[in-house]
Each structure stands twice: as structure tokens, then as C-alpha cells.
């Protein structure tokens, strides 16, 4: 079996026996306990659980923002737990788009520049195409008219759309969002959900961490965490 | 830790300067006053007609003492002769005026031996037990050194390049061939001004005249002021200015840090308020925090300040040859330092404290994520060609905190301006030295004590190697006003060929001598000051050797020298020197390299030894320039050291501002890394920001340094060299490059250190930062 076949047949994301514990004055505090799971291409995954259940830590494992204390994390055929900080940053920029709860756009840059900055960091899109790509992505999320505004001039929903466009800047196969609608009204939240669903339709794998009720949403899979372990992993019947 | 460090640094700098200033200001004056310096010095050949009791019994006099003084030459090193001021002391056991005290060996020299002043040991081989060779007239006499004394009233021998020696009256006469008791020191009671002294001395002169005693000269030194007080005044002024600046910069530094630290506490303030704390308890909590920081910094900084301030005072006292008398610093100084240490952080953090406690619970608890800039702050660039976003980001981040940026750039620019101006002032002084060197184009000068025929003067030097020619000049002491009382010992007249090529000093006003028509003179700046600032075109009355002549002042030159009047040699000879005698020989070498000129000088000394020439001094141009340079060197060194300190303090200010910027943007760093920025890119981003600030500071600083240098050069000229001294503003190219490189390096370091720290934080920690 050649590598190409291996890549196409293996899960896009695979966690094997991942344990994460933090040292505190009270001793070692385990946040994830022996978590193993696999996510395939094109899945739209909701990670749910109460506060402190380990959702955000799991997301940090997937994005390489944090390293596991034990176990392995493989994303898009790369063992990311083995990468250095510099390699991880480059890998992340190319392979994972991250959307934060509080948008986290760079306030001194225009929306267009926020997108171009992400492309500049990774350098996988040719320089002369970056501006055009930024405009296309902003049109895709419906805020092309705000391209040259500062983030502070946009509403929360518009900023989150901009953040999603930035996450797509380098065309990564995986989009990870941490409570992306937690700071938005229900109407805007529904629109953002729609955007994510659209991305899945275009072949992206989207993983959303949320504490909201996901029963009526478009997620194809829901992983529930409690006390650092996966307590349920349900796939929606299609 | 950073705020304690900044406070310690500010307090340490300010404290050191205050401590050293307190010690120096007190001790030079205290040491000098302790010698009981004379208020007036009279010379006469008729003092033998009265005894000291006559003076001591006068009600206006506190004390009187004979202290003869003769200028001779002494062999400092083999074949190297320098001036010696030989004092004939009346009673070593009972010095009532101009006191000095023994430090090594005999305190009272045995007949035929002498004491030397301690500072002279640094420029000669002379020590207790050595046989000093003193040349008086044509005779060389060996005088054993029996002791070393400390005479705080004298200018440092190291700067004036001469030796002070003390002998008893008989030995004085034996060495010099001059009678004793011809120079009288007087100290008056209850005098407050120079005018009081002049009035009292005038009365005394009238009485002496009625007794048939002719006073040849009266010298009234500056009232109770050390001869090199000007150096200390300059240093203290420099210290004062730098203290103020260091305080200002320290204050800005602390203020920025306190504001940043309190900004980090906003969420905690929200929590405290949410659980029921009102403004006052919250204010108390943070006030106590600031106070603890102040106490910690004060405890660390005060011993450091006392130690380094005392060390600096000790360095200066060594240079100026006086002892540190202060054993315990005044209580008020400690009080001031403690007050500054405690109050400075409180006052500086008060605006931030008040703003912090006023914030609403909702605002405080909602303080999440990347702070959004107000849209009114900047209009985003629309469309068009784009710079790389990382460069745009660096540029915009620099402008993000405009007030902080302005404060940082301004303080750094001030540091740059002072540093650069320090170099420019130094260059002005160097240019002055070059002017001095270039103005006098001879290589070695031999000045004779007496006027003698030209052939006799030249005879010993007929067969010197490396000698191009010898030009002979003449001169003497003259008086410009017909008063016996003057502020100096009279003015030196230099009679030289008006068209000589050995004297090409720049004429500041009027013109140089033309040697024709009515008698004319050119004065130097020092003479001008001493004689009522006459103007070019004025006719003055010149008295030389009892003869008077009306001379026209045609020009003014500026030089670092004693008061002098220049006159055409032919006019001078016609007026006061019918026998065409000479007293100054100007040697011009073929090979003007330093070593060859020094060889020529030694050859001249060898030629003088067997001759009958009564030599006052032999000095090369290089040595003359060195004497002047040594007077200014301490100031030059201090200017650059203190200017460097300002630059370092402002560099630290920039480092702290960068540190605060980075600290505030920790979460943003996390976001940047989350979207693909490597640690190296983050590092480059912050270094680029630091460099933008550095470049802005250095540009502004260099611009500011121009007016500062224009103001500083004449100011320091007046302070160091006398009123009206024309120290021209100069531009130091060397200083420019040093400033540029130092500032850019500081900027690089100031951003590198916090940037390195920033990239050590993991992406997770950065994203979790609140």
C-alpha cells in the first residue's frame, strides 16, 4: 500500500490513548484520560460537555496548541505530538484553521489584512494571489463590503465571519472552532452554524467545541466528554 | 519584579547623584576653607621695615603670615624638567594661613630639605628620600625630599603639571638666592565680598605707603574659592541636570509599569467589586501593593546609591586632590531618598489606581481577548498595493498606544540628544585644543626669567639636531590701569614680530597687528575680562617698567591661557626695550613628529644645563596642549559618562515599554501562533517594532541634539573657561556614529529581551493569558 492510499484511507485525525495532566500546587490534575478517537474527512463534529470536562484541552491536542502527557495525535498523516513549536506553527497554519469564541482578530489590521497576515505566515499561497483570495473568502462568508474596515467597526457576527474567513485563508483541511457562537445572539449563531455546515459540504472537516444543545443542529457526529473521558460518541444516521 | 527593578534603577541613579553631589559640594569647600586661605597676597621688598605684629594687631585682620614663593624648575624624571612652586614657610609648626599638613615622612623639613605636595608624586619620580634636583637660575641644586604634605588649597599638580615644594626660609634663600619675607598672606575678619577685601586692603596700602613701604603687587584671589572650584561647579551642574533627567525618566518608566500592572488587575478588581468591595477598600488593597513595591525598592536602592555615590565622589576628590571628609551623610538626604522611594511609585500610579477603582464590575469582568482599538484611531488602508501584512502589523502595533509611544520615543530621543550633544560639546573642546595647537606653530618654547641679549640667549643652541630655526620674542608684565590694586598679578605682554608665522591664532574681533603707525595691541579674552572689557578701537594706557604708552586695541583673540597682550616687537622695543633684549625662544623643528620633538626638547634641556641661562620653563607644544586637556579631561569624561547613563536609562525605559507592550499582547501572540506564526516570526515582529521606535527616537534625538549642542557649547565654555569663552558648536561625526550604533543596539536589546521571553510562552499559555 503506498502512502497516498494510506493517507486517503486513514482517518484524518487520530488520537490514541491521549492523557493530559496539569501540575498544580495540589498535585497532578488529569484533564484528559486515555482518550482515543478518530475523525474522518468531511465530518462535522460537535464536542460537548460541561465546563471542565476537557473539551478545550481536547481541541488544543487536535490543533497542536498543547502536547499530550501520554499518547499520540496524528492529523492529516502527521504525528503532531513530535513536532517542535516552530514546525507546529507552520503545520497548524497549513492544516488547521482555528476560530475562537472572542474572534481574536488583530485589532490594528483591517479584515483583509487579517486574512493576508495568515497567508503571509504560512506562505503557501502565492503572494500575488493573496489579496484576491482574501476578497474571495470574505465574499464567501458574506462580508466583502467590510474588507478594509478594522475589526472594531464590525458587529460580533461579522467579526466571527471574518474569523472563519481567516481560518480558511490557507485552505486547511480541518477547521476547529472553540465556542464560536458562545458570544453571539441566536440568529447570528444560526447563520454561523450555516457557514460551518457549508464548509463541510465543500469537503472540510469541522470540529466545534460547544456547551450548547446540539440535538437540532447539523452536526454529523457528537462526542461527549465528562471528567476527561469520552462518555459517548454518536454519529447521526444519514 | 520588573517594576521593583525599574524603581531600584531610578532611585539608585538619582540617589547616587544626590549622594555624590552632597559629599562633593560640602567637602571641597570644607577642605579648602579648612586651610584658612588668604584673602589677599601682597608682595614688597620693604616688608623688613615692619614685623608681623604690625599686621596681626590691625583690627580688620584675622591673621597674617609671610609665605614666600618662587617659580623654579625641578627634574621630575631624568632630563625632564617641570616648574616647581617653591614656598618659603615661616613656621611649619604654626601655620595660621594657607595651611597644609604632613602625610608622610617629616612634617617639618630639616634645613636644606623640602616637603613636596602629594599630588606631585603622580607626575614625577619624587618621593620621600629622593634627592630632588632644582634649577634656580643657572645653578642646579640637590634638595632631599624629607616629607610629603597635602595642600588642599592648590590646584592639582596633575592638572597643572607642576610640583609644589615647601622649605624653611633659610633654605628658600639658599636655593633661590632671593631674600625671604617678601610675600605676605592676609586674611581679614568679617568680609563677605571681594569689594570688602579691596576696601580693607586699600586702607592697609595707604598706611603702608605712609610708612614708606612700597607694595609691588596685590593679588586678591576669588573669595574662599578653590582654584579648581569651576571644575566641581561644572560637575555638580552636570550632575544636577542628569539627576533631574534620570528622575524624570525613572518616573516615566515607573508610571508606565504601574499602569500596565494595574491594567492586568482589572478583572480581579471586577471580582472584588462583584463580591461587595467598594472603591475605597479596593483602592487600599492596590495602594498597599504599590507601597510594598516602594519599600522593597527603597531597601535595595539606598545602600547601592550611598555606595556608588560615595565611590563617584571619591573618584572626583582624587582628581581634584582633596579628601573626603563626610563620614556620615546628612539625615535629610536619607529622608529625601526614602520619601522618593515611597512616594514616587504612589504618586505615579495614582492616575492608574484611580482609573482602576472607578471601572464598573461589568467592564472589569468583560475584559477578555484582544483589546479592540477604537475605529476612530485609524482609518484602515483600502485596496491598492499592500505591504507584507507582518510589516503593516509591526508598524500599526507601534502606533497602537500613542501616548506610551510618544513618551517612549521622547524619553529615548532626549537620551539620544543628550548623548549626542555630549559628544558635540566634547568635539567643541577638542576643536579648541586643535586651535590652540595650530595657533602656536613652534615646537618647543624656552621662557627666560630675565631679558637678555639675543645672541646670549641663542648661544647654547647653535648645534642642535632637528632644529629648523629659533625665533626670539620678548615681553614682560604690564599694567593697563594706573592702580596698584588689580584682580591679578598684572598682564603678560608678548612682544613678537607682527608678521611671525609661528602665531596664527584666530582673531575673534577686529584685526591682527600690522606693525605700522600708532602703537597697537591685541588682547586675549582673559585679559579683556580682567581689564573692564575694553572695546576694539579703544585707546588704553599701558605701563611697562615705569613707562607709559597710549596703545590702541585693534583686535581680540581667544585662547586658553593667562591674560595676555600682544604687541609688535619693534613697537615694544621702541617703547620699553631699547636694547632689543629677548626672554622667549621659539624653537621650530624640522621633523615635527612627537618623538622627535621630545628628543629636541631633551637636547634643549641638555644645552641649558651648562649654560648661564636663567630659565623659567621649557615646554613643548604637545605638553602645553596636554596641560589644557588635563584640565578639561575630567569634564569631558563626566559629560560622556553621564550622557551614557541618560541613554541607558532611556534605553531601559524603552525596554520596559516594549516589555509592557508584549505583556499586554500575550494573548495576541497566542492567536498569531495559532494561525501559523512561528516563534521566529513573532520574535522578528517585536524586534521590528523595537527598531521602528529606535529609529524614530534616534532621528528625533539627533534633531534635538542640534539646538541642544548650540546651547550647550557656549554654556559649558563659559562654565569651564570663563565668561564669554567662545566655545564653538561642533558636530562630532564620531559621536554621531556612536550614538546611532548605541541607540540602535539599545533598541535591539530592549526589544530582543522581552521578545525572547514572549516566544518562550507556549501557545496554550499565551491563549489562556488574561
Amino acid at each position: 500500500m503506498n502512502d497516498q492510499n494510506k493517507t486517503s484511507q486513514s482517518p484524518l485525525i487520530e488520537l490514541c490513548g491521549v492523557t493530559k495532566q496539569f501540575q498544580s500546587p495540589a498535585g497532578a490534575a488529569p484533564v484528559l484520560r486515555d482518550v482515543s478517537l478518530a475523525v474522518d474527512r468531511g465530518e462535522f463534529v460537535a464536542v460537548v460537555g460541561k465546563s471542565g470536562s476537557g473539551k478545550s484541552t481536547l481541541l488544543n491536542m487536535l490543533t497542536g496548541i498543547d502536547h499530550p502527557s501520554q499518547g499520540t495525535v496524528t492529523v492529516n498523516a502527521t504525528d503532531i505530538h513530535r513536532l517542535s513549536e516552530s514546525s507546529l506553527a507552520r503545520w497548524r497554519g497549513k492544516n488547521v484553521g482555528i476560530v475562537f469564541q472572542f474572534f481574536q482578530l488583530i485589532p490594528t489590521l483591517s479584515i483583509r489584512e487579517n486574512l493576508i497576515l495568515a497567508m503571509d505566515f504560512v506562505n503557501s499561497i502565492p503572494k500575488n494571489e493573496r489579496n484576491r483570495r482574501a476578497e474571495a473568502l470574505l465574499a464567501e462568508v458574506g462580508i466583502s463590503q467590510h474588507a478594509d474596515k478594522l475589526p472594531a467597526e464590525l458587529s460580533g457576527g461579522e467579526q466571527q465571519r471574518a474569523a472563519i474567513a481567516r481560518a480558511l485563508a490557507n485552505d486547511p483541511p480541518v477547521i476547529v472552532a472553540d465556542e464560536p457562537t458562545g458570544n453571539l445572539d441566536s440568529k447570528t449563531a444560526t447563520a454561523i452554524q450555516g457557514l460551518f455546515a457549508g464548509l463541510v459540504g465543500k469537503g472540510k472537516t469541522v470540529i466545534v467545541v460547544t456547551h450548547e444543545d446540539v440535538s437540532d443542529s447539523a452536526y454529523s457526529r457528537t462526542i461527549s466528554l465528562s471528567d476527561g473521558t469520552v462518555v459517548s460518541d454518536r454519529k447521526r444516521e444519514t | 519584579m520588573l517594576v521593583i527593578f525599574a524603581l531600584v534603577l531610578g532611585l539608585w541613579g538619582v540617589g547616587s547623584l544626590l549622594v555624590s553631589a552632597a559629599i562633593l559640594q560640602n567637602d571641597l569647600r570644607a577642605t579648602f576653607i579648612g586651610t584658612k586661605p588668604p584673602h589677599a597676597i601682597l608682595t614688597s621688598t620693604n616688608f623688613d621695615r615692619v614685623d608681623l605684629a604690625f599686621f596681626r594687631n590691625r583690627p580688620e585682620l584675622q591673621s597674617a603670615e609671610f609665605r614666600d614663593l618662587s617659580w623654579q624648575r625641578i627634574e621630575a624624571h631624568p632630563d625632564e624638567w617641570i616648574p616647581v612652586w617653591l614656598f618659603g614657610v615661616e613656621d611649619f609648626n604654626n601655620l595660621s594661613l594657607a595651611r597644609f599638613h604632613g602625610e608622610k615622612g617629616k612634617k617639618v623639613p630639616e634645613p636644606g630639605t623640602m616637603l613636596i605636595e602629594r599630588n606631585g608624586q603622580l607626575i614625577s619620580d619624587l618621593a620621600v628620600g629622593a634627592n630632588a634636583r632644582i634649577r634656580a637660575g643657572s645653578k642646579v641644586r640637590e634638595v632631599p625630599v624629607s616629607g610629603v604634605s597635602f595642600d588642599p588649597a592648590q590646584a592639582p599638580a596633575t592638572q597643572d603639571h607642576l610640583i609644589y615644594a615647601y622649605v624653611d626660609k633659610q633654605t628658600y634663600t639658599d636655593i633661590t638666592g632671593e631674600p625671604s619675607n617678601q610675600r605676605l598672606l592676609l586674611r581679614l575678619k568679617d568680609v563677605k565680598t571681594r569689594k570688602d577685601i579691596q576696601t580693607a586692603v586699600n586702607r592697609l596700602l595707604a598706611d603702608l605707603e605712609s610708612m614708606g613701604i612700597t607694595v609691588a603687587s596685590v593679588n586678591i584671589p576669588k573669595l574662599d574659592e578653590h582654584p579648581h572650584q569651576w571644575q566641581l561647579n561644572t560637575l555638580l551642574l552636570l550632575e544636577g541636570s542628569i539627576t533631574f533627567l534620570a528622575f524624570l525618566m525613572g518616573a516615566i518608566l515607573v508610571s508606565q509599569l504601574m499602569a500596565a500592572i494595574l491594567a492586568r488587575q482589572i478583572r480581579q478588581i471586577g471580582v472584588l467589586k462583584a463580591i461587595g468591595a467598594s472603591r475605597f477598600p479596593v483602592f487600599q488593597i492596590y495602594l498597599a501593593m504599590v507601597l510594598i513595591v516602594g519599600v522593597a525598592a527603597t531597601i535595595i536602592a539606598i545602600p547601592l546609591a550611598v555606595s556608588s555615590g560615595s565611590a563617584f565622589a571619591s573618584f572626583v576628590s582624587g582628581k581634584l586632590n582633596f579628601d573626603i571628609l563626610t563620614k556620615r551623610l546628612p539625615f535629610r538626604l536619607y529622608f529625601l531618598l526614602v520619601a522618593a522611594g515611597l512616594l514616587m511609585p504612589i504618586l505615579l500610579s495614582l492616575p492608574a489606581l484611580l482609573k482602576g477603582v472607578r471601572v464598573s464590575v461589568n467592564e472589569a469582568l468583560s475584559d477578555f481577548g484582544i483589546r479592540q482599538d477604537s475605529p476612530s484611531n485609524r482609518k484602515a488602508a483600502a485596496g491598492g498595493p499592500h505591504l507584507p501584512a507582518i510589516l503593516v502589523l509591526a508598524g500599526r502595533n507601534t502606533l497602537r498606544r500613542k501616548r506610551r509611544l510618544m513618551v517612549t520615543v521622547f524619553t529615548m530621543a532626549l537620551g539620544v540628544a543628550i548623548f549626542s550633544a555630549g559628544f558635540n560639546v566634547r568635539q567643541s573642546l577638542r576643536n579648541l585644543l586643535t586651535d590652540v595647537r595650530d595657533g602656536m606653530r613652534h615646537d618647543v618654547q624656552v621662557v627666560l626669567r630675565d631679558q637678555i641679549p639675543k645672541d646670549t640667549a641663542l648661544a647654547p643652541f647653535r648645534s642642535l639636531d632637528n632644529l629648523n630655526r629659533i625665533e626670539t620674542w620678548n615681553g614682560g608684565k604690564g599694567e593697563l590701569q594706573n592702580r596698584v590694586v588689580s584682580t591679578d598679578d598684572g598682564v603678560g605682554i608678548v612682544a613678537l614680530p607682527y608678521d611671525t608665522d609661528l602665531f596664527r591664532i584666530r582673531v575673534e574681533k577686529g584685526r591682527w597687528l600690522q606693525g605700522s603707525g600708532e602703537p597697537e595691541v591685541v588682547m586675549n579674552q582673559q585679559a579683556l575680562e580682567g581689564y573692564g572689557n575694553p572695546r576694539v578701537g579703544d585707546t588704553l594706557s599701558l605701563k611697562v617698567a615705569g613707562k607709559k604708552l597710549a596703545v590702541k586695541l585693534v583686535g581680540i583673540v581667544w585662547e586658553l591661557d593667562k591674560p595676555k597682550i600682544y604687541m609688535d616687537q619693534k613697537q615694544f622695543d621702541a617703547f620699553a626695550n631699547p636694547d632689543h633684549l629677548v626672554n622667549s625662544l621659539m624653537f621650530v623643528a624640522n621633523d615635527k613628529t612627537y618623538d622627535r620633538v621630545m628628543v629636541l626638547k631633551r637636547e634643549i634641556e641638555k644645552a641649558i644645563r651648562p649654560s648661564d641661562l636663567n630659565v623659567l620653563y621649557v615646554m613643548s607644544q604637545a605638553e602645553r596642549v596636554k596641560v589644557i586637556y588635563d584640565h578639561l579631561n575630567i569634564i569631558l569624561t563626566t559629560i560622556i559618562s553621564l550622557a551614557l547613563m541618560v541613554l541607558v536609562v532611556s534605553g531601559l525605559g524603552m525596554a520596559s515599554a516594549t516589555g509592557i507592550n508584549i505583556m499586554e499582547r500575550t494573548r495576541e501572540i497566542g492567536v498569531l501562533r495559532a494561525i501559523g506564526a512561528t516563534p521566529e516570526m513573532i520574535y522578528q515582529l517585536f524586534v521590528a517594532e523595537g527598531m521602528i521606535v529606535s529609529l524614530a527616537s534616534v532621528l528625533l534625538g539627533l534633531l534635538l541634539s542640534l539646538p541642544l549642542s548650540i546651547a550647550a557649547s557656549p554654556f559649558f565654555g563659559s562654565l569651564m573657561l570663563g565668561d564669554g569663552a567662545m566655545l564653538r558648536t561642533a558636530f562630532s561625526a564620531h559621536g554621531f556614529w556612536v550614538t546611532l550604533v548605541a541607540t540602535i543596539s539599545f533598541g535591539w536589546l530592549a526589544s530582543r529581551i522581552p521578545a525572547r521571553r514572549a516566544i518562550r510562552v507556549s501557545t496554550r499559555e499565551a491563549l489562556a493569558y488574561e
Side-chain angles (χ1 to χ4, degrees):
Chain A
M1 192 184 294
N2 60 29
D3 281 352
Q4 185 62 43
N5 288 337
K6 182 183 169 186
T7 305
S8 58
Q9 289 173 13
S10 307
L12 183 66
I13 299 167
E14 191 168 15
L15 278 75
C16 290
V18 169
T19 295
K20 179 69 184 178
Q21 53 187 24
F22 292 109
Q23 292 299 324
S24 73
V31 184
L32 289 180
R33 301 163 196 259
D34 195 22
V35 172
S36 295
L37 58 89
V39 178
D40 290 325
R41 287 173 194 278
E43 281 198 273
F44 188 15
V45 182
V47 179
V48 297
K50 290 179 184 169
S51 179
S53 60
K55 306 187 293 288
S56 294
T57 307
L58 178 67
L59 187 142
N60 287 347
M61 296 296 133
L62 302 179
T63 52
I65 283 172
D66 206 353
H67 295 278
S69 305
Q70 278 176 25
T72 62
V73 182
T74 308
V75 181
N76 204 16
T78 304
D79 293 337
I80 62 169
H81 57 280
R82 294 184 198 278
L83 298 180
S84 67
E85 278 288 316
S86 289
S87 309
L88 254 177
R90 269 190 294 271
W91 171 86
R92 192 164 40 234
K94 209 176 274 186
N95 292 279
V96 184
I98 304 176
V99 180
F100 299 93
Q101 180 180 2
F102 292 100
F103 330 128
Q104 309 291 13
L105 295 162
I106 305 300
T108 48
L109 297 183
S110 69
I111 301 300
R112 180 202 307 273
E113 288 162 346
N114 263 279
L115 269 65
I116 294 174
L117 179 70
M119 292 184 250
D120 283 353
F121 283 150
V122 175
N123 208 20
S124 60
I125 310 289
K127 275 184 186 165
N128 55 2
E129 285 181 24
R130 289 175 195 169
N131 189 39
R132 206 170 46 232
R133 177 167 174 79
E135 286 173 357
L137 287 169
L138 290 173
E140 192 177 332
V141 298
I143 54 165
S144 57
Q145 71 277 24
H146 300 312
D148 294 314
K149 287 182 182 168
L150 288 175
E153 295 175 85
L154 273 59
S155 69
E158 287 165 340
Q159 286 192 56
Q160 197 59 300
R161 285 169 188 269
I164 293 169
R166 181 180 65 181
L168 293 166
N170 293 303
D171 195 23
V174 182
I175 303 293
V176 174
D178 188 4
E179 304 275 8
T181 56
N183 209 33
L184 303 175
D185 61 73
S186 58
K187 193 178 162 193
T188 313
T190 306
I192 295 294
Q193 278 288 88
L195 268 178
F196 284 130
L199 294 176
V200 174
K202 289 175 183 169
K204 302 287 181 198
T205 303
V206 177
I207 301 172
V208 178
V209 164
T210 181
H211 62 273
E212 290 164 5
D213 180 16
V214 294
S215 52
D216 296 331
S217 60
Y219 295 110
S220 61
R221 183 177 172 189
T222 304
I223 298 170
S224 298
L225 288 178
S226 178
D227 293 334
T229 56
V230 177
V231 291
S232 78
D233 188 348
R234 287 172 290 143
K235 286 194 180 176
R236 177 171 286 188
E237 299 293 325
T238 53
Chain B
M1 284 307 288
L2 191 62
V3 80
I4 292 179
F5 175 70
L7 261 176
V8 166
L9 211 70
L11 276 174
W12 185 6
V14 171
S16 307
L17 295 172
L18 285 176
V19 166
S20 60
I23 295 172
L24 291 172
Q25 199 152 29
N26 176 64
D27 290 11
L28 179 62
R29 189 174 158 77
T31 312
F32 183 67
I33 297 292
T35 67
K36 295 233 177 238
H39 290 143
I41 303 162
L42 278 57
T43 59
S44 171
T45 52
N46 309 136
F47 280 142
D48 53 346
R49 294 188 194 171
V50 284
D51 59 12
L52 273 178
F54 165 79
F55 297 104
R56 287 174 175 165
N57 290 336
R58 286 182 73 97
E60 75 273 27
L61 292 183
Q62 191 185 75
S63 48
E65 185 172 325
F66 284 116
R67 179 77 53 85
D68 291 299
L69 169 63
S70 182
W71 240 48
Q72 302 296 341
R73 302 177 73 225
I74 193 165
E75 195 175 29
H77 302 289
D79 284 333
E80 188 193 326
W81 293 78
I82 61 172
V84 57
W85 284 24
L86 191 67
F87 291 100
V89 180
E90 196 174 358
D91 182 357
F92 279 89
N93 288 314
N94 190 18
L95 299 171
S96 63
L97 280 175
R99 290 172 180 164
F100 54 90
H101 52 267
E103 282 210 333
K104 259 191 242 169
K106 302 273 186 193
K107 293 193 171 25
V108 178
E110 288 154 355
T113 71
M114 67 178 190
L115 308 182
I116 59 161
E117 209 283 325
R118 67 179 190 184
N119 208 230
Q121 291 179 291
L122 302 174
I123 53 166
S124 69
D125 295 334
L126 301 170
V128 176
N131 262 341
R133 281 154 56 83
I134 294 180
R135 184 180 171 116
S138 57
K139 292 178 190 164
V140 174
R141 183 187 167 114
E142 289 202 347
V143 185
V145 178
S146 54
V148 172
S149 65
F150 169 41
D151 188 348
Q154 303 301 341
T158 45
Q159 290 189 19
D160 284 19
H161 286 245
L162 52 84
I163 303 286
Y164 303 102
Y166 309 83
V167 293
D168 63 32
K169 284 176 165 187
Q170 187 55 52
T171 309
Y172 176 83
T173 303
D174 291 348
I175 294 172
T176 62
E178 296 165 10
S180 60
N181 293 358
Q182 298 208 333
R183 183 171 174 267
L184 182 69
L185 312 182
L186 299 174
R187 188 167 172 87
L188 294 112
K189 288 177 189 163
D190 307 322
V191 284
K192 290 189 174 66
T193 63
R194 202 181 174 89
K195 202 175 170 188
D196 293 344
I197 299 171
Q198 283 192 340
T199 309
V201 169
N202 276 337
R203 276 202 304 272
L204 175 65
L205 288 175
D207 291 352
L208 288 171
E209 205 165 343
S210 69
M211 294 163 69
I213 296 171
T214 308
V215 172
S217 74
V218 175
N219 181 19
I220 299 176
K222 285 186 180 169
L223 180 59
D224 290 343
E225 188 177 305
H226 187 275
H228 280 194
Q229 181 71 41
W230 62 271
Q231 286 181 330
L232 192 65
N233 290 344
T234 311
L235 288 176
L236 289 175
L237 190 93
L238 273 172
E239 279 205 357
S241 328
I242 300 295
T243 303
F244 176 72
L245 279 169
F247 184 81
L248 196 73
M249 289 175 174
I252 289 167
L253 188 64
V254 171
S255 160
Q256 285 190 348
L257 282 168
M258 291 313 296
I261 282 176
L262 286 164
R264 286 177 67 185
Q265 302 290 325
I266 288 292
R267 286 203 73 210
Q268 189 176 319
I269 289 172
V271 172
L272 289 172
K273 285 188 169 180
I275 60 170
S278 62
R279 281 183 187 182
F280 189 62
V282 172
F283 182 75
Q284 278 180 313
I285 290 168
Y286 288 99
L287 192 66
M289 180 188 94
V290 173
L291 205 58
I292 290 168
V293 167
V295 169
T298 307
I299 289 170
I300 300 169
I302 289 181
L304 290 172
V306 171
S307 160
S308 55
S310 304
F312 182 68
S314 188
F315 164 75
V316 174
S317 74
K319 289 283 176 196
L320 294 182
N321 191 32
F322 69 92
D323 283 346
I324 295 292
L325 302 173
T326 302
K327 302 282 181 224
R328 191 178 294 172
L329 289 167
F331 175 74
R332 64 176 188 282
L333 187 65
Y334 285 107
F335 179 78
L336 194 68
L337 289 173
V338 171
L342 300 183
L343 288 179
M344 193 164 80
I346 291 176
L347 290 175
L348 295 171
S349 46
L350 210 55
L353 272 177
L354 292 172
K355 191 180 164 193
V357 297
R358 278 198 207 112
V359 74
S360 73
V361 179
N362 186 34
E363 281 173 322
L365 292 176
S366 310
D367 190 44
F368 276 112
I370 298 176
R371 203 175 294 265
Q372 296 293 313
D373 286 10
S374 159
S376 61
N377 275 356
R378 188 192 65 81
K379 184 76 189 158
H386 292 277
L387 284 170
I390 195 158
L391 276 185
V392 176
L393 182 60
R396 300 237 180 99
N397 280 341
T398 308
L399 295 169
R400 202 159 171 180
R401 293 271 185 271
K402 289 191 179 65
R403 196 185 301 168
R404 187 184 296 157
L405 175 72
M406 272 170 58
V407 169
T408 308
V409 168
F410 184 73
T411 47
M412 189 78 190
L414 199 62
V416 170
I418 292 170
F419 191 59
S420 177
F423 273 99
N424 290 344
V425 171
R426 192 162 168 263
Q427 187 61 43
S428 298
L429 287 166
R430 282 174 176 262
N431 288 355
L432 184 71
L433 293 175
T434 309
D435 284 351
V436 168
R437 190 192 60 211
D438 295 349
M440 301 284 276
R441 297 180 179 184
H442 65 276
D443 295 298
V444 181
Q445 182 181 18
V446 174
V447 176
L448 305 173
R449 193 178 292 275
D450 310 308
Q451 298 178 11
I452 59 172
K454 184 176 176 179
D455 287 345
T456 312
L458 294 177
F461 310 111
R462 297 279 180 214
S463 56
L464 291 178
D465 192 24
N466 189 32
L467 179 65
N468 181 290
R469 66 191 166 101
I470 306 172
E471 192 169 291
T472 54
W473 296 359
N474 195 10
K477 286 279 183 189
E479 288 160 19
L480 274 173
Q481 292 156 349
N482 294 327
R483 283 187 311 205
V484 174
V485 176
S486 67
T487 50
D488 210 294
D489 283 338
V491 60
I493 300 170
V494 179
L496 72 178
Y498 73 91
D499 56 352
T500 179
D501 61 346
L502 298 184
F503 192 81
R504 281 283 183 269
I505 200 159
R506 190 163 41 212
V507 180
E508 296 291 343
K509 282 183 192 162
R511 61 167 173 80
W512 182 242
L513 302 168
Q514 287 181 340
S516 58
E518 62 179 318
E520 55 188 33
V521 293
V522 167
M523 291 174 95
N524 72 5
Q525 185 71 20
Q526 314 288 353
L528 204 68
E529 280 170 37
Y531 295 92
N533 289 304
R535 292 179 181 180
V536 171
D538 285 358
T539 299
L540 309 167
S541 173
L542 182 66
K543 185 178 170 189
V544 181
K547 292 179 183 174
K548 280 186 193 171
L549 179 69
V551 292
K552 188 177 177 186
L553 177 63
V554 296
I556 293 162
V557 294
W558 199 89
E559 58 182 343
L560 284 166
D561 212 329
K562 293 185 169 66
K564 275 184 186 171
I565 292 175
Y566 294 93
M567 194 172 180
D568 175 51
Q569 198 168 24
K570 281 183 184 158
Q571 286 186 349
F572 181 79
D573 286 357
F575 155 53
N577 184 25
D579 298 328
H580 304 288
L581 303 177
V582 300
N583 68 356
S584 191
L585 312 179
M586 317 302 280
F587 291 74
V588 181
N590 285 318
D591 182 345
K592 289 173 175 287
T593 53
Y594 180 81
D595 289 345
R596 294 285 288 142
V597 169
M598 286 297 118
V599 170
L600 174 64
K601 190 190 165 214
R602 278 197 291 277
E603 292 298 312
I604 291 169
E605 290 283 8
K606 278 184 193 164
I608 290 170
R609 206 178 303 156
S611 75
D612 287 332
L613 293 182
N614 191 351
V615 173
L616 196 58
Y617 64 84
V618 179
M619 190 177 276
S620 69
Q621 256 299 75
E623 287 167 310
R624 184 164 167 260
V625 171
K626 184 171 171 16
V627 169
I628 298 166
Y629 185 81
D630 285 349
H631 276 74
L632 304 179
N633 192 30
I634 184 171
I635 309 287
L636 293 174
T637 311
T638 308
I639 287 175
I640 296 300
S641 312
L642 292 179
L644 181 67
M645 201 182 95
V646 173
L647 190 67
V648 170
V649 171
S650 51
L652 287 166
M654 196 183 125
S656 78
T658 313
I660 295 165
N661 283 341
I662 291 175
M663 186 178 75
E664 283 179 349
R665 284 158 51 200
T666 305
R667 187 190 280 254
E668 187 176 308
I669 293 169
V671 173
L672 293 175
R673 283 168 71 168
I675 63 170
T678 60
E680 290 73 30
M681 289 170 179
I682 306 277
Y683 172 77
Q684 282 161 9
L685 176 71
F686 284 116
V687 170
E689 287 178 33
M691 296 319 284
I692 291 171
V693 175
S694 294
L695 285 172
S697 306
V698 82
L699 283 175
L700 182 65
L702 288 171
L703 277 176
L704 279 176
S705 78
L706 296 176
L708 196 64
S709 304
I710 289 167
S713 293
F715 173 74
F716 282 112
S718 294
L719 199 67
M720 288 188 269
L721 311 168
D723 289 341
M726 285 171 245
L727 195 58
R728 286 185 180 82
T729 304
F731 174 75
S732 166
H734 172 245
F736 172 83
W737 288 113
V738 170
T739 306
L740 200 66
V741 170
T743 312
I744 301 291
S745 306
F746 269 129
W748 180 71
L749 273 177
S751 47
R752 187 180 187 274
I753 296 165
R756 280 258 165 238
R757 207 180 318 129
I759 60 170
R760 276 205 295 269
V761 178
S762 74
T763 311
R764 181 186 63 79
E765 287 166 334
L767 283 169
Y769 186 85
E770 288 176 4

